[in-house]
Amino acid sequence: SQQGEEDPQALSIQEGENATMNCSYKTSINNLQWYRQNSGRGLVHLILIRSNEREKHSGRLRVTLDTSKKSSSLLITASRAADTASYFCATDRGDYKLSFGAGTTVTVRA
Amino acid sequence: ETGVTQTPRHLVMGMTNKKSLKCEQHLGHNAMYWYKQSAKKPLELMFVYSLEERVENNSVPSRFSPECPNSSHLFLHLHTLQPEDSALYLCASSQVGQSSYNEQFFGPGTRLTVL
């Protein structure tokens, strides 16, 4: 069953701008993960944040997690054309099954 | 090869055909997954093999049949499919256990079209 829901569904930004997308979920989790998918390809793992963490950075990515609100955000700073992709959050409840949302499609305009 | 590979990358089949999708992981993981991705829908988990246990999504029709002969290989056998089964089928693997966080590594997918 779907656990994570991303918002917005689509996002269009200018190169160099920041992109922010949000994920909400319904039940308690062990960790939350963000993945990227280029058109018609497999998903690539970007970053994982554990339930006892509030913020995590990886390169130009910043992820926050608010377990009280059951929400997470992914920020991509200084976007590039290569960041054009769909981004998915996935929640792990500790039963080795990830639940994915429908994704946010990000388009970075040159 | 490294990572997770899938063959074929594209498959067109009629509703009466029988075909198989193959997935191989070279990461030493102990869990493998099949997902179905349809347009504008969340990834749908179909099957999981973890620690030699198969976890099956009850809503998966019997025309999809998984096979996991060992921890590195996973197959999805297809027979008498319907046009609505056309989708991107993704295989993934991960390391599950007490000190693991189930980060999943995906293959490139098989684009399946059922005529």
Side-chain angles (χ1 to χ4, degrees):
Chain A
S1 61
Q2 182 182 352
Q3 164 82 307
E5 292 187 16
E6 292 91 346
D7 171 60
Q9 289 187 334
L11 184 59
S12 180
I13 56 174
Q14 200 73 30
E15 201 166 25
E17 292 180 340
N18 295 344
T20 300
M21 60 210 84
N22 304 296
C23 171
S24 59
Y25 57 92
K26 297 174 183 174
T27 64
S28 61
I29 59 172
N30 271 17
N31 65 72
L32 185 143
Q33 304 175 32
W34 285 91
Y35 289 79
R36 183 188 73 229
Q37 183 181 34
N38 292 93
S39 180
R41 307 292 296 276
L43 278 71
V44 175
H45 182 269
L46 294 177
I47 194 166
L48 178 151
I49 187 165
R50 293 176 287 185
S51 60
N52 61 353
E53 296 176 314
R54 292 297 167 259
E55 187 171 314
K56 203 162 183 180
H57 296 256
S58 176
R60 292 184 296 112
L61 305 179
R62 173 178 169 256
V63 169
T64 64
L65 179 65
D66 187 335
T67 53
S68 66
K69 295 181 179 179
K70 291 187 170 57
S71 69
S72 173
S73 68
L74 172 67
L75 168 67
I76 305 173
T77 60
S79 63
R80 305 167 181 169
D83 295 328
T84 294
S86 293
Y87 293 81
F88 298 86
C89 69
T91 52
D92 182 357
R93 292 176 289 183
D95 57 357
Y96 55 72
K97 292 181 285 186
L98 295 183
S99 294
F100 287 83
T104 294
T105 299
V106 174
T107 302
V108 180
R109 305 186 307 273
Chain B
E1 291 195 67
T2 58
V4 181
T5 58
Q6 289 186 245
T7 55
R9 294 293 308 279
H10 301 272
L11 178 61
V12 179
M13 58 187 289
M15 289 190 284
T16 59
N17 291 158
K18 289 184 180 181
K19 296 287 184 182
S20 295
L21 309 184
K22 178 183 175 182
C23 176
E24 183 173 0
Q25 61 99 357
H26 309 268
L27 300 168
H29 289 161
N30 59 9
M32 296 187 76
Y33 311 79
W34 279 118
Y35 290 91
K36 175 184 179 183
Q37 186 177 33
S38 303
K40 306 298 183 186
K41 291 184 179 180
L43 261 70
E44 177 188 339
L45 179 64
M46 300 178 72
F47 301 105
V48 180
Y49 277 85
S50 176
L51 303 172
E52 301 181 10
E53 174 189 354
R54 187 175 91 180
V55 178
E56 185 167 350
N57 185 324
N58 291 333
S59 64
V60 179
S62 60
R63 55 186 183 269
F64 295 92
S65 175
E67 179 190 1
C68 188
N70 55 60
S71 60
S72 299
H73 294 85
L74 186 64
F75 295 89
L76 187 62
H77 303 299
L78 317 171
H79 63 96
T80 54
L81 294 192
Q82 303 298 311
E84 60 264 29
D85 297 323
S86 298
L88 182 67
Y89 288 84
L90 293 163
C91 174
S93 71
S94 72
Q95 184 66 24
V96 295
Q98 285 191 349
S99 59
S100 302
Y101 293 104
N102 195 19
E103 299 169 32
Q104 296 191 6
F105 292 77
F106 284 78
T110 295
R111 174 66 63 185
L112 174 66
T113 303
V114 182
L115 302 176

